């Protein structure tokens, strides 16, 4: 029975290989039909890169102002206040508190135990 199939076996394997590669060329991760998905991911990554580039430029500006050859007193004072937790006596401090939840809202919240 296999003697009659022997000439067709290499052709069938080759046909299956071509079929598999064809399907992957169309629907695979880098296939022809996945173009919109790749463009969406690329747009997301470009937006992330733009935000990171902007943040880096801001940090470079802050570092440039903190160098000893051109020290910015305002920036130095701001950083010292943040790090040390100090407040200038002339500063106006406004305390903001969050309102307490209403009794009806407490009934809707699940109990954590």
């Amino acid at each position: 029975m296999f003697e009659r199939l022997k000439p067709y076996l290499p052709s069938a394997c080759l046909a299956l290989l071509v079929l598999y590669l064809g399907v992957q060329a169309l629907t695979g991760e880098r296939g022809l039909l996945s173009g919109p998905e790749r463009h969406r991911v690329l747009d997301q990554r470009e937006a992330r890169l733009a935000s990171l580039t902007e943040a880096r430029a801001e940090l470079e500006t802050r570092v440039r102002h903190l160098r000893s050859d051109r020290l910015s007193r305002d920036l130095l004072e701001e950083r010292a206040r943040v790090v040390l937790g100090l407040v200038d006596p002339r500063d106006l401090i406004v305390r903001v508190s969050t309102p307490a939840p209403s009794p009806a809202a407490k009934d809707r919240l699940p109990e954590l135990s």
Side-chain angles (χ1 to χ4, degrees):
M1 176 171 170
F2 287 114
E3 289 102 23
R4 291 188 331 180
L5 292 179
K6 279 191 177 184
Y8 299 112
L9 191 59
S11 298
C13 289
L14 186 61
L16 288 174
L17 180 66
V18 168
L19 179 68
Y20 173 76
L21 292 176
V23 168
Q24 288 299 316
L26 287 176
T27 62
E29 182 180 323
R30 296 183 179 158
L32 296 173
L33 299 179
S34 65
E37 176 68 21
R38 281 195 318 261
H39 290 300
R40 184 185 63 77
V41 170
L42 179 63
D43 291 340
Q44 287 176 348
R45 289 182 180 168
E46 285 176 344
R48 175 89 171 125
L49 176 63
S51 68
L52 289 175
T53 303
E54 183 179 321
R56 179 182 175 155
E58 181 181 330
L59 287 173
E60 286 176 349
T61 302
R62 292 178 71 99
V63 167
R64 187 174 55 241
H65 289 299
L66 286 175
R67 292 221 170 107
S68 62
D69 56 340
R70 19 176 133 115
L71 186 61
S72 171
R73 278 188 84 177
D74 292 334
L75 189 58
L76 180 63
E77 183 180 348
E78 175 191 342
R79 289 304 307 153
R81 286 183 186 190
V82 169
V83 171
L84 298 175
L86 299 177
V87 179
D88 189 346
R90 297 171 292 180
D91 286 347
L92 176 66
I93 299 173
V94 178
R95 293 185 183 199
V96 179
S97 63
T98 58
S102 65
K106 286 183 181 177
D107 294 339
R108 286 181 277 153
L109 295 176
E111 290 292 323
L112 298 176
S113 51

